[in-house]
Amino acid sequence: MAETDAGNGPPPFEDAFASDDVEQRIYGSILQAREPTAASAIADSADCDPKTARKYLGWFDDLGIVTRHDGHPATYERNDAYFEWRRINQLAADHSVEELQDRVRELTTRITEYEATYDAASPATVDAVAAAEGSDELTIDAVYSDLADWATAREERNRYERARQQRTGSEREQASR
């Protein structure tokens, strides 16, 4: 590989955060954690001193990015509610009320079509095997794909609706000043 090509492309997976500062490495480690994790394990993953990891994890806890669980040792986990809140705030900041309403309508139409196709109120109530066996057009893979898309559309509609409500509320607040 030529020296000029060395900076192109992503770093190897095992060194994904190697070029980041310690705060970013700890942040990246907590994002990858799927269960409460001790500061020492996060420090190992972030290649830093456990004391440094605890310092940043305390700060992340204060910000709501992680949840600290008391115990010996204390453990930390990603606060999914914080990241959901951030996504909704970003949607509200990036889109007008009209754009948010349009997206809610599009998603509602898609959801309604799935409800009609599968004669069900939610994807969780659909027996995928029975749906595929009862159809001449749908394979089991197509049904599973539809169910995943349907579930995602419901989650996305909820986010866009919450962002729309937030945006509408902030616009009303500004108008009343």
Short mmCIF file of all heavy atoms in Angstrom, two decimals, residues 53 55 91 94 143 163 173:
data_model
loop_
_atom_site.label_atom_id
_atom_site.label_comp_id
_atom_site.label_asym_id
_atom_site.label_seq_id
_atom_site.Cartn_x
_atom_site.Cartn_y
_atom_site.Cartn_z
N ALA A 53 -11.29 6.33 32.81
CA ALA A 53 -12.59 5.85 32.35
C ALA A 53 -13.68 6.23 33.34
O ALA A 53 -14.75 6.71 32.95
CB ALA A 53 -12.56 4.34 32.12
N LYS A 55 -13.71 8.69 35.43
CA LYS A 55 -13.92 10.14 35.38
C LYS A 55 -14.89 10.49 34.25
O LYS A 55 -15.88 11.20 34.45
CB LYS A 55 -12.59 10.87 35.18
CG LYS A 55 -12.72 12.36 35.01
CD LYS A 55 -11.37 13.00 34.74
CE LYS A 55 -11.38 13.57 33.35
NZ LYS A 55 -10.17 14.23 32.96
N LEU A 91 -34.53 15.66 14.71
CA LEU A 91 -35.60 15.70 13.71
C LEU A 91 -36.35 17.03 13.80
O LEU A 91 -36.63 17.65 12.77
CB LEU A 91 -36.58 14.55 13.92
CG LEU A 91 -36.11 13.16 13.50
CD1 LEU A 91 -37.11 12.11 13.96
CD2 LEU A 91 -35.91 13.08 12.00
N ASP A 94 -34.18 19.79 12.36
CA ASP A 94 -33.85 19.68 10.94
C ASP A 94 -35.03 19.82 9.99
O ASP A 94 -34.84 19.99 8.79
CB ASP A 94 -33.17 18.34 10.65
CG ASP A 94 -31.78 18.24 11.25
OD1 ASP A 94 -31.24 19.27 11.70
OD2 ASP A 94 -31.24 17.13 11.29
N VAL A 143 -42.25 -12.06 3.96
CA VAL A 143 -43.09 -11.76 5.13
C VAL A 143 -42.21 -11.19 6.25
O VAL A 143 -42.55 -10.16 6.85
CB VAL A 143 -43.87 -13.01 5.61
CG1 VAL A 143 -44.57 -12.73 6.93
CG2 VAL A 143 -44.87 -13.45 4.55
N ALA A 163 -41.43 14.55 17.34
CA ALA A 163 -40.69 15.72 16.85
C ALA A 163 -41.66 16.80 16.37
O ALA A 163 -41.45 17.99 16.62
CB ALA A 163 -39.73 15.32 15.73
N GLU A 173 -45.00 28.50 21.48
CA GLU A 173 -44.37 29.24 22.57
C GLU A 173 -43.74 30.52 22.04
O GLU A 173 -43.87 31.58 22.64
CB GLU A 173 -43.30 28.35 23.23
CG GLU A 173 -42.67 28.97 24.45
CD GLU A 173 -41.68 28.04 25.08
OE1 GLU A 173 -42.06 26.92 25.46
OE2 GLU A 173 -40.49 28.44 25.18
#
